[in-house]
Amino acid sequence: MHIHAMSDHSNPHTLSGAALEQRFAELDQFLLEHQALWRPRPFVHYPTLPWETDHPELAHWLRQQSLEHADSAHNQPHQLKGAPDPFPQLAATAARLSQLGAHPQTATTSIPARLSNGIPGRKWEQINAFSRSLHFAHPPTHWLDWCSGKGHLGRLLARDGAQLTCLEHDDELVRSGQQLSGKLGIPAQHIQQDVLSADASLQLKTAHTPVALHACGELHTRLLQLASAANCTQLAIAPCCYNRISTQHYQPLSQQAQQSALILDIDDLGLPLSETVTAGARVKRHRDQSMAWRLGFDLLQRELRGENSYLSTPSLPAAYLDKSFDVFCKDLAKLKELPEPNTQNWPALEQLGWQRLAVVRNLELLRNIFRRPLELWLLLDRALYLEASGYQVKLGTFCAYEQSPRNLLLLAERN
Ligand SMILES: C[S@@+](CC[C@H](N)C(=O)[O-])C[C@H]1O[C@@H](n2cnc3c(N)ncnc32)[C@H](O)[C@@H]1O
């Protein structure tokens, strides 16, 4: 097996051993110290955010910038030029605390084209990168693809003859996964299973090597608990959607995180997911319009209710945006059982919505600095939990950020 050592001296390393706990403590302190800056969501605060009185110069500067400015800095807020204090210092600390190396990858070997047939390009790149990042001391004999979808990842891993079990709760995906495996001559078992139900523990065997690529919130934390209870020797997870949990607040897994004063709610857990790398121009245009219109409606609802507070609105079918702005507002007011809006200067209100969008997106840049630190804090909580359960853990990236912003991979092995 050829392994490219991807971390040389100029590159950061993957995290393991004592470094896990040390980084967790640093991130914990950083996040706690600056909660006032990253917790409040600019979208829901009007006319100003609580931190603006403490940092008037920064607030003023951000408020002057255009929507294009916010968009160009959105995914790399730490590279923003010219922002007043304390932005540059915070950005530098966040970048330092977010440094993380890539897992070494096995060299690309030729993979039969039929294995990638029908898999969208980016998905295939992610699966391929994930599989090349796994190198366990004991060669896996039985892969368990957790929340497998159609089981593309599992099939790639099991192509050389290891056994494969895929767990997935969507019937249709189980069926088409089984069909695909049959067609490709891979003797996989695709099992319909809700991994959150009590009987899911019966599916885990000590001989399994569980893998989970982009299993949301509780779906992957459940795997960590069940796999360590089942004594699995090794596992690999790349989490996503930290906010898909059934409790109001985050339930930390590790002792270190349980002892932290950081209490995260569902909105906080959405912060690491707020980048927009995957959007095409049309999707972006739609999202901008939806946000600008909601921000315009927000001004209206404050007036209609006679109360200066945010009112959450449901996600709406795309058809809502095909209406005119006034119809959009009237329909939304009806949906929220508000008084019918009286005569308004609709074009002016819509314009205010767009102006607010630019302001909100720029103010969000400060919050975005904390996106990766919070994500790493969450991954380290998982890593420390596994360490306490007797695993040796390595935390690193498995693919480029452009291939997927959810590019963190935890590898865990027991002796
Ligand atoms: C983001 S997808 C990832 C799929 C696959 N691992 C991949 O990378 O292509 C998450 C998968 O979890 C499945 N899922 C959601 N809730 C589940 C549950 N309670 N039990 C089992 N699978 C579930 C979904 O149907 C979906 O296929």
Side-chain angles (χ1 to χ4, degrees):
M1 187 180 273
H2 301 287
I3 293 186
H4 291 309
M6 290 183 65
S7 25
D8 59 29
H9 290 300
S10 58
N11 285 331
H13 293 284
T14 56
L15 291 177
S16 57
L20 296 167
E21 189 159 2
Q22 193 190 333
R23 183 71 70 89
F24 179 83
E26 287 178 281
L27 284 164
D28 195 50
Q29 199 198 340
F30 180 62
L31 290 167
L32 274 170
E33 192 178 334
H34 302 293
Q35 294 185 67
L37 304 181
W38 59 264
R39 275 196 206 272
R41 290 175 299 146
F43 197 83
V44 310
H45 285 272
Y46 182 79
T48 55
L49 281 162
W51 62 256
E52 292 187 56
T53 40
D54 294 330
H55 305 292
E57 201 190 333
L58 175 59
H60 178 75
W61 187 85
L62 289 169
R63 283 177 173 276
Q64 299 307 305
Q65 308 297 325
S66 65
L67 184 57
E68 293 69 35
H69 172 269
D71 287 346
S72 68
H74 180 85
N75 287 331
Q76 260 78 41
H78 52 278
Q79 289 176 5
L80 187 64
K81 298 274 182 292
D85 293 347
F87 197 101
Q89 296 86 335
L90 291 170
T93 307
R96 178 175 61 77
L97 292 178
S98 304
Q99 281 217 341
L100 188 64
H103 287 289
Q105 297 206 328
T106 52
T108 329
T109 49
S110 63
I111 296 167
R114 60 206 165 85
L115 271 173
S116 60
N117 270 351
I119 308 178
R122 272 166 55 96
K123 186 63 166 175
W124 173 249
E125 284 173 19
Q126 293 164 19
I127 287 173
N128 195 358
F130 186 107
S131 77
R132 290 169 52 213
S133 303
L134 308 186
H135 21 80
F136 297 117
H138 303 282
T141 54
H142 191 155
W143 297 98
L144 181 71
D145 191 344
W146 189 259
C147 301
S148 60
K150 294 182 185 172
H152 297 308
L153 172 65
R155 268 188 301 275
L156 178 60
L157 292 169
R159 69 185 184 281
D160 293 333
Q163 295 180 68
L164 171 62
T165 301
C166 295
L167 301 183
E168 166 60 52
H169 93 147
D170 181 320
D171 262 339
E172 191 44 49
L173 294 174
V174 175
R175 231 188 338 267
S176 46
Q178 192 73 62
Q179 243 170 29
L180 268 173
S181 293
K183 214 159 85 185
L184 294 168
I186 294 177
Q189 248 201 310
H190 291 255
I191 299 174
Q192 199 271 330
Q193 174 71 49
D194 175 358
V195 301
L196 297 179
S197 74
D199 61 359
S201 60
L202 303 174
Q203 300 291 358
L204 276 128
K205 306 282 183 279
T206 308
H208 284 156
T209 296
V211 290
L213 172 57
H214 295 161
C216 308
E218 274 166 359
L219 303 179
H220 73 262
T221 52
R222 176 120 170 106
L223 171 60
L224 302 186
Q225 288 159 332
L226 295 183
S228 63
N231 258 320
C232 296
T233 312
Q234 54 211 8
L235 62 106
I237 63 158
C240 76
C241 303
Y242 307 98
N243 55 358
R244 299 255 178 101
I245 56 171
S246 56
T247 49
Q248 222 178 343
H249 289 100
Y250 179 64
Q251 309 291 312
L253 298 162
S254 67
Q255 215 179 21
Q256 289 88 338
Q258 282 163 6
Q259 284 165 358
S260 163
L262 200 59
I263 310 293
L264 301 168
D265 66 21
I266 296 203
D267 288 332
D268 297 330
L269 293 171
L271 175 59
L273 313 168
S274 62
E275 57 297 75
T276 54
V277 283
T278 53
R282 203 176 53 85
V283 176
K284 182 185 165 347
R285 171 79 204 164
H286 254 95
R287 193 174 42 217
D288 285 355
Q289 188 190 335
S290 162
M291 296 236 156
W293 280 18
R294 280 163 189 276
L295 287 165
F297 173 79
D298 181 59
L299 296 174
L300 177 66
Q301 68 79 13
R302 286 171 199 253
E303 184 189 306
L304 293 176
R305 290 194 304 144
E307 193 184 315
N308 188 25
S309 68
Y310 180 72
L311 180 71
S312 72
T313 48
S315 60
L316 299 167
Y320 263 74
L321 298 179
D322 296 334
K323 310 175 183 198
S324 57
F325 177 63
D326 60 325
V327 176
F328 172 85
C329 286
K330 287 171 191 160
D331 285 358
L332 208 47
K334 203 185 276 170
L335 202 72
K336 297 300 290 186
E337 298 176 357
L338 300 179
E340 200 179 324
N342 48 16
T343 317
Q344 298 278 335
N345 184 344
W346 294 109
L349 186 61
E350 182 180 0
Q351 186 58 31
L352 282 177
W354 281 98
Q355 281 168 13
R356 257 189 97 189
L357 179 67
V359 168
V360 161
R361 286 271 171 79
N362 279 288
L363 289 172
E364 276 173 353
L365 294 177
L366 180 60
R367 200 172 179 250
N368 292 346
I369 285 178
F370 297 89
R371 196 159 52 197
R372 196 66 159 179
L374 181 57
E375 181 168 26
L376 210 46
W377 185 98
L378 290 165
L379 264 291
L380 287 165
D381 177 32
R382 287 144 180 76
L384 292 169
Y385 168 81
L386 288 169
E387 288 262 323
S389 313
Y391 289 93
Q392 272 145 27
V393 178
K394 286 191 202 112
L395 174 57
T397 59
F398 74 95
C399 67
Y401 183 80
E402 292 71 26
Q403 286 170 336
S404 168
R406 299 284 73 70
N407 65 351
L408 302 179
L409 173 65
L410 266 182
L411 297 180
E413 296 182 83
R414 259 178 191 163
N415 286 329

